[in-house]
Amino acid sequence: MPLNEMERTIDYGYRKELFTNTIRLRLLSNGIIHYTYLPDVEVDEAEHLKNHKALLELVDATKKYPVLLDGDDFAIVTPEGRKLVRELEPLIPVSARAMVIKQLGQRILANFYIKFHKPIIPTKIFNNHDEALNWINENQKAS
């Protein structure tokens, strides 16, 4: 989904915004990290490390935040990038990950990743932002 179309979907203002070569990160005014892959990018180990550093710069790393991830734009995460995602997962300041993915190919890849790698952070895929935000809010109440 193009960034301008996605921005109309999210009604929250943001406190801070950072870009890397492959993502846009926003700390929304409601305390949710909005993580957006930029169109047609490849995330290898070096790029994921840049993304990780940007995440730590965006928030207070001593706290945990829910993430709303937009994953509809075509992004390739290399095997080395996926390995680093798994290695860094225990260290990231994230409490839950809601992924909004509408495209079938991207959903299949994300579902495979979740089932095969079993993230330690609660992670779920949704069709739209409303469902994802509802799940985040319920998840936050439960913790």
Side-chain angles (χ1 to χ4, degrees), residues 12-66:
Y12 299 101
Y14 61 94
R15 297 180 209 160
K16 192 172 182 182
E17 177 178 60
L18 296 173
F19 283 86
T20 70
N21 297 328
T22 58
I23 62 168
R24 178 183 74 180
L25 289 172
R26 285 183 167 179
L27 179 58
L28 302 179
S29 58
N30 61 0
I32 294 173
I33 298 168
H34 190 200
Y35 193 109
T36 307
Y37 283 103
L38 300 176
D40 303 316
V41 295
E42 180 175 288
V43 183
D44 59 14
E45 190 174 21
E47 291 299 328
H48 184 67
L49 195 53
K50 290 176 190 173
N51 297 345
H52 177 73
K53 288 178 181 178
L55 175 64
L56 296 177
E57 184 182 327
L58 182 76
V59 297
D60 174 355
T62 65
K63 299 178 183 177
K64 298 279 186 176
Y65 302 81

Side-chain angles (χ1 to χ4, degrees), residues 102-137:
K102 298 173 191 162
Q103 294 180 15
L104 181 60
Q106 295 292 89
R107 284 182 77 92
I108 290 169
L109 291 171
N111 267 318
F112 176 77
Y113 179 83
I114 291 168
K115 289 180 181 176
F116 183 74
H117 295 292
K118 300 179 182 13
I120 60 173
I121 297 168
T123 303
K124 193 168 178 183
I125 300 171
F126 298 91
N127 292 317
N128 61 61
H129 291 102
D130 289 337
E131 292 173 358
L133 290 169
N134 286 339
W135 180 78
I136 285 173
N137 289 331

Side-chain angles (χ1 to χ4, degrees), residues 5-12 28 34 68 70 129 133:
E5 183 179 335
M6 178 188 52
E7 287 174 9
R8 287 192 299 265
T9 308
I10 304 295
D11 292 332
Y12 299 101
L28 302 179
H34 190 200
L68 175 63
D70 281 301
H129 291 102
L133 290 169

